[in-house]
Amino acid sequence: MTTERWPTELRLAKDRRSLRVAFDDGAAFDLPAEYLRVTSPSAEVQGHSPSERKTVPGKRDVEIIGVEPVGNYAVKLVFDDLHDTGIYGWGYLYELGAGYGQKWQAYLDELSAKGLSREKAR
């Protein structure tokens, strides 16, 4: 059985480049917009199976322009590249925060292996 974690704070930074999420167990994470965008739980990014998951390049400067509640279990984030189909449940946000170092490095390694960049294509 998993322990349900509930957010006690959800705050978008003034520069819209990170989202602070604090939980009732005392954990708190400042999640960069780029990280949230490239790990979006949307089918567009995750696909419908692990083999369909996309590596999303070119999002270094992405900003969050909207944080919309979804019931009492999640938020929908809207990014300035108009991606808005990811529903971030509280458990997923906690997982992203707790696993940030490992997940971010895995993303950087994927970019490198595929010859992709964090910078926008020109």
Side-chain angles (χ1 to χ4, degrees), residues 51 53-56 107-117:
S51 66
R53 190 176 64 77
K54 306 277 188 296
T55 302
V56 181
Y107 168 69
L108 296 176
D109 292 346
E110 283 179 21
L111 284 178
S112 179
K114 295 178 178 182
L116 301 172
S117 171

Side-chain angles (χ1 to χ4, degrees), residues 24-121:
D24 58 2
D25 68 352
F29 310 106
D30 290 308
L31 303 173
E34 179 185 11
Y35 176 60
L36 290 166
R37 174 61 178 88
V38 303
T39 58
S40 171
S42 68
E44 176 187 328
V45 174
Q46 298 300 325
H48 296 286
S49 71
S51 66
E52 293 180 356
R53 190 176 64 77
K54 306 277 188 296
T55 302
V56 181
K59 300 302 177 185
R60 179 189 293 266
D61 296 321
V62 74
E63 294 178 357
I64 300 167
I65 59 173
V67 180
E68 302 171 6
V70 177
N72 64 358
Y73 65 92
V75 291
K76 178 171 90 165
L77 300 180
V78 181
F79 297 89
D80 67 353
D81 66 355
L82 303 183
H83 177 75
D84 67 353
T85 58
I87 305 297
Y88 296 76
W90 308 139
Y92 188 60
L93 285 170
Y94 195 98
E95 176 187 324
L96 289 176
Y100 174 74
Q102 181 179 7
K103 290 177 182 295
W104 183 246
Q105 189 57 57
Y107 168 69
L108 296 176
D109 292 346
E110 283 179 21
L111 284 178
S112 179
K114 295 178 178 182
L116 301 172
S117 171
R118 293 174 59 207
E119 304 302 328
K120 271 188 182 180

